Amino acid sequence: MPTTKFFQSTRKIIGAGVNYKEILRLTNAPKPDAPVIFFKPISSLLDVATGSPATTTSGASTIRIPRVFCGVINFEAELGVIIGRRCSNVAADQAMSYVGGYCLALDMTGMDFILDARPKGLPWCLGKGFDTSTPVSGLLTRAELPNPDDVRVWCDVNGVRKQDDSTRNLIFPIAELIAYVSRYMTLEENDLLLTGTPAGAGPVRHGDVIECGLGDGLVTMRCSVVDESAEPS
């Protein structure tokens, strides 16, 4: 599936929060009754495979933190699922037949928005939706990732390993996520479903370099972080 086609026709990005078992263990939180779902705008996509919309001189794609942000920005490496064909009210045992492919993704998150909004029951879309907050790799076909329910998701920051887990430890596996979301809305070809991030997500700052991947070299991605407030006006 060409990356250009993906960007031209993706209509929504759907994220799943708190979806790894280790996070529940570390926080002593109960298992959610249903997936925690949020949205990101299409304008947040950053095509790391081609370096669009922004690349540094070293060739690594650039995550740009807006000047208006003044708090913590977290990295969150994830397996992304590309919907292959239109579907609605899909049963879990049929859901994987609607998958068109996969990608590696980062869900960059302004934590101040999240931590302020959650206890108030308010939306936290501004913390998830800034430009370049959803870097994605080149796309993998189903043949290239035959077992997405057991693939490593890892992430390094400045060469230090921060995240390393397998999708076999998802609380709600891919099929359940697709089935759940499709009860509420139609999923369309090339929609992007982010499956959640492993434990270990944390802050990045101006000048940091994020490297992440799926499996052992199946696909990798490298992004540099630029804080616009640290640049000359």
Side-chain angles (χ1 to χ4, degrees):
M1 187 188 306
T3 306
T4 52
K5 179 184 176 184
F6 168 58
F7 277 102
Q8 289 169 356
S9 58
T10 299
R11 299 185 66 178
K12 51 187 174 287
I13 303 169
I14 303 160
V18 195
N19 200 30
Y20 273 84
K21 297 172 184 176
E22 181 69 2
I23 294 175
L24 297 187
R25 188 188 72 79
L26 291 173
T27 59
N28 198 30
K31 177 183 174 181
D33 294 329
V36 178
I37 299 299
F38 61 90
F39 290 93
K40 304 190 75 169
I42 302 305
S43 56
S44 70
L45 283 168
L46 172 63
D47 182 0
V48 175
T50 63
S52 175
T55 55
T56 64
T57 54
S58 63
S61 289
T62 305
I63 297 165
R64 302 191 66 85
I65 301 172
R67 291 181 184 275
V68 70
F69 280 33
C70 57
V72 173
I73 306 296
N74 272 13
F75 62 88
E76 300 183 12
E78 316 205 0
L79 171 66
V81 178
I82 311 301
I83 300 301
R85 55 195 175 101
R86 184 182 175 93
C87 61
S88 180
N89 290 308
V90 176
D93 62 359
Q94 299 294 317
M96 297 305 287
S97 68
Y98 291 91
V99 173
Y102 305 93
C103 68
L104 172 64
L106 282 167
D107 173 22
M108 304 302 296
T109 303
M111 291 305 297
D112 284 13
F113 290 94
I114 307 296
L115 296 176
D116 180 65
R118 275 178 177 165
K120 299 176 182 177
L122 297 174
W124 24 278
C125 56
L126 292 180
K128 291 285 190 179
F130 62 93
D131 291 353
T132 73
S133 66
T134 315
V136 294
S137 71
L139 306 186
L140 298 169
T141 65
R142 293 175 63 177
E144 290 172 318
L145 185 56
N147 189 11
D149 288 317
D150 189 4
V151 63
R152 281 180 64 224
V153 180
W154 57 268
C155 186
D156 297 346
V157 177
N158 300 328
V160 178
R161 182 60 46 92
K162 299 292 187 178
Q163 294 181 291
D164 197 340
D165 206 340
S166 170
T167 55
R168 68 173 175 269
N169 294 318
L170 288 173
I171 298 168
F172 299 100
I174 297 167
E176 292 185 33
L177 291 175
I178 293 173
Y180 179 78
V181 174
S182 74
R183 294 180 208 160
Y184 295 90
M185 70 194 74
T186 298
L187 295 173
E188 300 167 294
E189 184 179 2
N190 289 341
D191 281 351
L192 172 60
L193 175 63
L194 304 178
T195 56
T197 197
V204 287
R205 299 171 181 82
H206 180 75
D208 285 349
V209 175
I210 305 169
E211 296 184 78
C212 52
L214 297 176
D216 296 315
L218 182 63
V219 63
T220 59
M221 189 163 66
R222 181 176 183 267
C223 298
S224 59
V225 179
V226 170
D227 187 339
E228 293 180 346
S229 66
E231 297 182 312
S233 300

